[in-house]
Amino acid sequence: MTPANPYGGPRSVALKQPSFARTILTYAVCILIAVILAATVRYFLIEPYRIPTGSMLPTIQLDDMVLANKLVYKVGGKPKYKDVVVFKDPTGQYSQLIKRVIAVGGDTVDLRDGYVYVNDQKLDEPYTHGKLSEPLSSSIQFPLRVPDGDIWVMGDNRTNSADSRLFGPISVSTVYGRAWWTYWPLKHFGALK
């Protein structure tokens, strides 16, 4: 029985401090949970990427850091026209590249007089800032039908971009995710368009 408190209530009892080992264990469990959550987010949801080339200038600057939504294409979505995607570099020069989707499987791409046509419609591409789109490889013949399951990608900096004009269509299976936000440096912080 707890002795009576002279002020009318039960007497307070001092709480026992947790042991040093218990404190360390608690911190270790918290750190482990944080690491598991971070790895889950990075592997399944959002991953940061550094831009290795100037092929997307001025939309994205060289060495900018962007976030890519990895879940969007894993849950049934497919890359669509104007998406900015991060994908495995088919040339092997870089681990990944970032380009804009210009056409998807079943579309026909043509380059005429420096302009891009998809399904015989000239594209309105303000993000290129008037730079012309010339062929980069004599092995790719235009017009070209993009195979089902593939996409045609091009950099916004058309006069300085190794893209599908050089290596052809890429498989959707090589796409890591859709880039949607620049987070570093802070002066470029914001949504990608």
Side-chain angles (χ1 to χ4, degrees):
M1 183 166 171
T2 305
N5 185 335
Y7 300 107
R11 189 171 173 183
S12 64
V13 177
L15 296 175
K16 189 171 133 181
Q17 292 292 330
S19 69
F20 180 73
R22 185 174 182 94
T23 301
I24 294 297
L25 181 62
T26 301
Y27 282 117
V29 168
C30 288
I31 291 169
L32 180 63
I33 290 171
V35 168
I36 290 170
L37 285 174
T40 300
V41 166
R42 184 169 181 167
Y43 186 77
F44 293 107
L45 302 176
I46 297 171
E47 185 158 355
Y49 291 97
R50 184 186 68 80
I51 305 307
T53 72
S55 70
M56 287 296 289
L57 290 167
T59 308
I60 307 171
Q61 303 296 310
L62 177 66
D63 290 327
D64 275 3
M65 296 292 293
V66 301
L67 295 175
N69 179 336
K70 296 178 79 172
L71 187 62
V72 67
Y73 302 136
K74 289 182 180 179
V75 294
K78 295 182 180 178
K80 60 185 184 302
Y81 173 62
K82 288 191 179 179
D83 281 358
V84 177
V85 296
V86 180
F87 58 95
K88 182 178 180 182
D89 180 4
T91 70
Q93 186 175 0
Y94 301 97
S95 58
Q96 79 274 339
L97 293 176
I98 185 166
K99 309 286 181 196
R100 191 177 299 274
V101 176
I102 300 302
V104 298
D107 288 340
T108 299
V109 177
D110 200 1
L111 302 180
R112 300 182 213 153
D113 303 318
Y115 296 99
V116 179
Y117 289 77
V118 175
N119 301 326
D120 279 328
Q121 298 294 314
K122 181 181 172 186
L123 297 184
D124 178 27
E125 299 186 291
Y127 42 80
T128 66
H129 297 272
K131 293 183 178 177
L132 298 178
S133 304
E134 301 293 343
L136 297 178
S137 171
S138 59
S139 65
I140 297 177
Q141 300 298 311
F142 294 98
L144 178 140
R145 183 185 176 281
V146 179
D148 292 334
D150 285 2
I151 55 176
W152 183 269
V153 293
M154 296 174 75
D156 291 356
N157 186 3
R158 294 293 163 80
T159 56
N160 189 19
S161 175
D163 50 39
S164 286
R165 294 172 294 165
L166 179 67
F167 48 70
I170 63 163
S171 172
V172 171
S173 67
T174 67
V175 175
Y176 298 128
R178 184 180 74 213
W180 61 282
W181 197 271
T182 302
Y183 70 92
W184 191 261
L186 290 178
K187 65 182 178 181
H188 299 156
F189 187 82
L192 293 174
K193 297 176 185 170

